[in-house]
Amino acid sequence: MQNKTGAVFAAAAVLLAGAAMYFYVAGNGAELPEGLVQGNGRIEAEQVEIAPARAGRVQQVMAAEGSLVAAGDVLVVMDTDELAAAHDRARAEAALARQTKAEAEALVVQRQSEHRRAEHELERATALLAGHNISETLFEERDTAHQVAEAVLGAARARVATAEAGIAAAEAEVRRIAAQIEDSTLVAPMPGRVLYRLAEPGEVVGAGGPILTLLSLENIYMEVFLPAREAGLLPIGAEARIVLDALPDYAIPATVTFVSPEAQFTPKQVETLSEREQLVFRVRVRIPQDLVAARIEHVKTGLRGVAVIRLDPDQPWPEALDRRIPPELFE
């Protein structure tokens, strides 16, 4: 009987210790040691819209709401029948442009031969005119024929340059359409979780119309709001600890990555009216990427808690805020 009573008291002591530690970081901050400040918030992640660059029909949606995706995973495939036809036409036009250039180059060779013949005839006519062996009229005819041959050769060379420009334009069109076809397969730009599925196969969406909303798991953070007297002392890179309502006995390490340069009224989601009436600065504390990656399956946004930030790097963390989440908790 005595052993059973002792066990009951031991269990009660553990519960009271946990409750005391949670109160330590969940109250108004008065109990915190000097050099530490805290604020209420919730776990958040950046939202990324997965959308096509051009209007089209959705062919496949590969991810369901709530599913976890890795960077590079195919999420959406758009219909490309029209683009494929346009690509074939562009390649045919590029081939035609190359054929046009070949014909223009052959014409240049012909015009060069005609120019050389006219040049030789003009040189011979010049010599004959010096010896008074031909008439002025015949010399002028040779001179005019030479000038015409030069002009025709110049035009032929211009046609080659025009053909080269046509080839460049046609090949650029081929690359443009190929890029559109490639862009019709939408992949995950980073690891994340699908929050919303906004379109289904067969639906037509406009350019930039979202098909999926992805929660980026590369940037998991909590935003808290601190008064000016605390935010003004807060350096970027300061260490922090996040204690969640769901895991009050453990502290998640984090780092301050942003402090707003402008004050604002505390948002409405903050619980107490007195806090909402204060002018505060928005502060973001980010959980390290390696810690998120190690527990990626268990990351949930929207979990509420508090963030405790250390203003003084020489101030040691209290034992209650230095208890890291053990890996076996998620096994």
Side-chain angles (χ1 to χ4, degrees):
M1 181 66 177
Q2 185 177 2
N3 291 340
K4 184 175 180 181
T5 303
V8 170
F9 278 120
V14 170
L15 290 175
L16 288 173
M21 184 183 71
Y22 181 66
F23 175 77
Y24 182 78
V25 296
N28 58 15
E31 296 82 5
L32 288 174
E34 186 177 354
L36 299 178
V37 296
Q38 74 173 41
N40 301 316
R42 62 183 180 182
I43 296 297
E44 300 182 56
E46 293 181 349
Q47 293 187 14
V48 178
E49 303 289 353
I50 304 300
R54 64 189 300 272
R57 188 179 302 276
V58 179
Q59 182 172 318
Q60 289 180 286
V61 181
M62 316 293 285
E65 289 185 353
S67 60
L68 197 65
V69 298
D73 284 355
V74 176
L75 301 181
V76 178
V77 178
M78 304 294 293
D79 183 84
T80 58
D81 288 346
E82 184 179 346
L83 286 174
H87 192 241
D88 291 341
R89 179 177 177 178
R91 287 189 296 179
E93 290 177 349
L96 180 60
R98 286 190 287 268
Q99 179 62 32
T100 301
K101 179 186 175 183
E103 293 174 355
E105 288 175 336
L107 184 60
V108 167
V109 174
Q110 178 185 345
R111 299 308 185 201
Q112 285 175 334
S113 176
E114 294 173 354
H115 179 262
R116 284 194 297 270
R117 185 173 66 250
E119 192 172 39
H120 291 158
E121 290 180 353
L122 177 61
E123 290 174 355
R124 185 168 178 271
T126 301
L128 291 173
L129 182 64
H132 303 286
N133 294 318
I134 61 171
S135 65
E136 291 278 351
T137 302
L138 185 57
F139 173 79
E140 290 176 356
E141 289 177 357
R142 297 290 187 270
D143 186 44
T144 300
H146 179 259
Q147 293 178 16
V148 170
E150 279 189 338
V152 170
L153 176 59
R157 287 172 173 165
R159 288 186 62 184
V160 173
T162 301
E164 288 176 345
I167 291 173
E171 290 179 344
E173 181 68 5
V174 171
R175 292 193 299 271
R176 186 185 70 84
I177 298 175
Q180 288 184 340
I181 292 175
E182 184 177 352
D183 288 344
S184 296
T185 299
L186 310 182
V187 300
M190 75 285 289
R193 193 178 299 278
V194 177
L195 182 62
Y196 301 116
R197 178 165 164 158
L198 304 171
E200 297 298 329
E203 294 185 29
V204 175
V205 297
I211 298 174
L212 295 173
T213 299
L214 192 66
L215 278 176
S216 170
L217 297 181
E218 284 189 334
N219 188 10
I220 303 298
Y221 60 91
M222 175 181 284
E223 286 189 344
V224 298
F225 298 87
L226 299 179
R229 65 179 181 275
E230 296 174 351
L233 301 174
L234 189 59
I236 299 296
E239 288 189 46
R241 295 289 187 267
I242 295 175
V243 180
L244 300 176
D245 294 352
L247 292 169
D249 292 340
Y250 299 99
I252 303 171
T255 304
V256 174
T257 58
F258 173 80
V259 178
S260 174
E262 296 181 352
Q264 65 182 85
F265 286 104
T266 312
K268 293 181 179 180
Q269 64 263 27
V270 176
E271 299 298 333
T272 64
L273 179 61
S274 60
E275 288 181 319
R276 293 202 301 270
E277 290 176 343
Q278 297 176 5
L279 277 175
V280 293
F281 289 80
R282 180 166 58 94
V283 177
R284 176 176 294 185
V285 294
R286 180 178 177 183
I287 301 174
Q289 175 60 24
D290 56 349
L291 184 60
V292 174
R295 299 167 175 85
I296 197 73
E297 295 285 348
H298 304 279
V299 173
K300 301 288 190 302
T301 57
L303 296 178
R304 294 187 177 274
V306 295
V308 182
I309 305 170
R310 186 164 63 177
L311 300 177
D312 181 3
D314 297 327
Q315 171 70 40
W317 287 106
E319 181 182 355
L321 292 173
D322 210 26
R323 298 184 62 185
R324 307 295 179 88
I325 300 178
E328 60 270 15
L329 188 65
F330 297 104
E331 293 178 354

